[in-house]
Amino acid sequence: ENRARPWHLLHAIDTVKDELEQRVYWVDQLHQALEGDTFELMVQPIMRLADRSVRHYEVLVRMRNTDQELLMPGRFIPFAEHSGQIVQLDRWVLRAALRLLKRVQADGISLAVNLSGQSLHDDGLTDYLTAELQASGANPHQLILEITETAAVTDFSTARGVLQGIRELGCRTALDDFGVGFSSFHYLGQLPVDYIKIDGSFIRSLTHNDDSRVIVKAIADIAAGFGKEAIAEFVDQEALVPLLQDYRIAFGQGYHLGRPVPVAEAFGHG
Ligand code: C2E
Ligand code: CA
Ligand code: CA
Ligand code: CA
């Protein structure tokens, strides 16, 4: 009687249509936020575990959408990466972070800024950084740029070039999310980085997962062997601190040590 209807096909078309609509929506939201400067910066301390003093702060971006909601990066960064707008977003954050640094640098504060893998392919990045350092009057020695390890490993020679360029300006560099990617320890010795951040997924499970202990210890040993500092992410309970110190990891970041807070809360109004 009834001919088979291609429901699956109609459904597939609907899904593609939804996805396209979502992408168009986010391109527009990101565009408006870039034009209207409606991104906001949070800062979270990286602490010395021995005495709980601040080593530096990491800058974390939030986006206010047209409904005035403040969105976490997990909501909008994937879309920005898909559309390529992440390059402009990273530049926006860099510029804002340099202005902030100029304001707080006399107090000995350093800031770390995230760069996405795509920003490594932004030919103009070092020129932009040079110009913005000049325009802001920020001290390059108090700026750190974090790139994700996966980006560094997938495009090793580009990553090395960008990191080198950043260092020549006097800034420091770091490898983020270390251990989750296709982490080739061999590369670590060849990349010009000052420290690595051990991915939070290993740290979080340290108290109850023996595999994580083996991995974290190995990463810590190798980092030390290459003369790099290691920072543990996601230090969200006191019980982790002595474990990390056993592995001679001197620095941590996480909710237990200090949550991300708005810039005004950390440093007062400019
Ligand atoms: P990330 O660079 O690995 O930053 C650390 C993330 O872990 C932050 O999430 C921070 O709030 C969160 N975190 C810190 N301590 C804890 C903890 O104890 N427990 C847990 N569960 N989480 C903790 P956030 O702010 O949501 O940022 C997520 C990611 O978005 C960042 O991960 C980074 O990859 C990206 N991101 C943030 N700001 C920027 C930016 O300006 N540019 C680029 N390209 N990416 C950014
Ligand atoms: Ca980071
Ligand atoms: Ca990370
Ligand atoms: Ca991460």
Side-chain angles (χ1 to χ4, degrees), residues 4-247:
R5 295 202 181 212
W7 293 118
H8 59 286
L9 195 60
L10 292 178
H11 180 72
I13 290 168
D14 264 3
T15 307
V16 169
K17 192 164 155 277
D18 286 351
E19 263 183 44
L20 279 173
E21 277 171 3
Q22 262 212 328
R23 289 205 179 129
V24 169
Y25 169 82
W26 281 103
V27 167
D28 179 57
Q29 286 286 324
L30 285 159
H31 178 75
Q32 293 201 43
L34 285 163
E35 294 292 305
D37 287 342
T38 62
F39 293 102
E40 291 175 25
L41 302 185
M42 307 280 278
V43 288
Q44 185 182 24
I46 284 76
M47 311 287 272
R48 222 169 248 100
L49 296 174
D51 63 0
R52 310 293 157 102
S53 62
V54 176
R55 181 189 194 274
H56 66 264
Y57 291 86
E58 178 173 9
V59 172
L60 297 161
V61 72
R62 305 286 181 259
M63 171 181 158
R64 204 166 283 285
N65 68 9
T66 48
D67 294 329
Q68 303 309 315
E69 299 161 317
L70 200 60
L71 306 181
M72 302 292 283
R75 290 280 304 281
F76 58 89
I77 292 219
F79 291 101
E81 285 181 331
H82 189 268
S83 69
Q85 286 163 302
I86 189 71
V87 172
Q88 281 167 273
L89 173 53
D90 280 351
R91 286 185 177 210
W92 191 98
V93 173
L94 200 48
R95 166 180 287 174
L98 286 170
R99 310 234 149 140
L100 173 60
L101 181 56
K102 167 68 180 170
R103 187 151 81 71
V104 300
Q105 63 192 9
D107 297 325
I109 292 166
S110 295
L111 297 178
V113 174
N114 290 287
L115 287 180
S116 83
Q118 281 185 56
S119 289
L120 298 187
H121 297 274
D122 173 5
D123 291 330
L125 183 75
T126 45
D127 284 349
Y128 181 81
L129 181 55
T130 309
E132 289 299 325
L133 279 166
Q134 204 116 62
S136 62
N139 178 5
H141 297 102
Q142 286 168 262
L143 179 70
I144 303 147
L145 292 163
E146 295 188 355
I147 64 164
T148 59
E149 181 227 17
T150 31
V153 175
T154 50
D155 194 345
F156 179 72
S157 64
T158 307
R160 184 157 57 179
V162 172
L163 290 167
Q164 207 79 60
I166 289 168
R167 273 192 157 185
E168 278 160 16
L169 293 171
C171 308
R172 282 171 291 160
T173 56
L175 282 187
D176 207 342
D177 304 328
F178 196 85
V180 273
F182 199 34
S183 113
S184 174
F185 285 139
H186 151 79
Y187 284 156
L188 186 58
Q190 297 176 42
L191 281 171
V193 294
D194 296 286
Y195 64 83
I196 61 159
K197 293 180 80 173
I198 306 174
D199 193 70
S201 57
F202 302 118
I203 307 299
R204 197 169 28 200
S205 48
L206 211 51
T207 52
H208 54 270
N209 184 326
D210 288 341
D211 291 348
S212 293
R213 293 191 187 205
V214 173
I215 292 168
V216 170
K217 186 175 187 315
I219 293 176
D221 286 347
I222 285 163
F226 282 117
K228 319 281 189 198
E229 283 176 332
I231 295 176
E233 294 184 326
F234 288 19
V235 181
D236 60 4
Q237 48 169 317
E238 181 60 29
L240 291 169
V241 174
L243 294 175
L244 296 170
Q245 288 180 309
D246 274 352
Y247 302 145

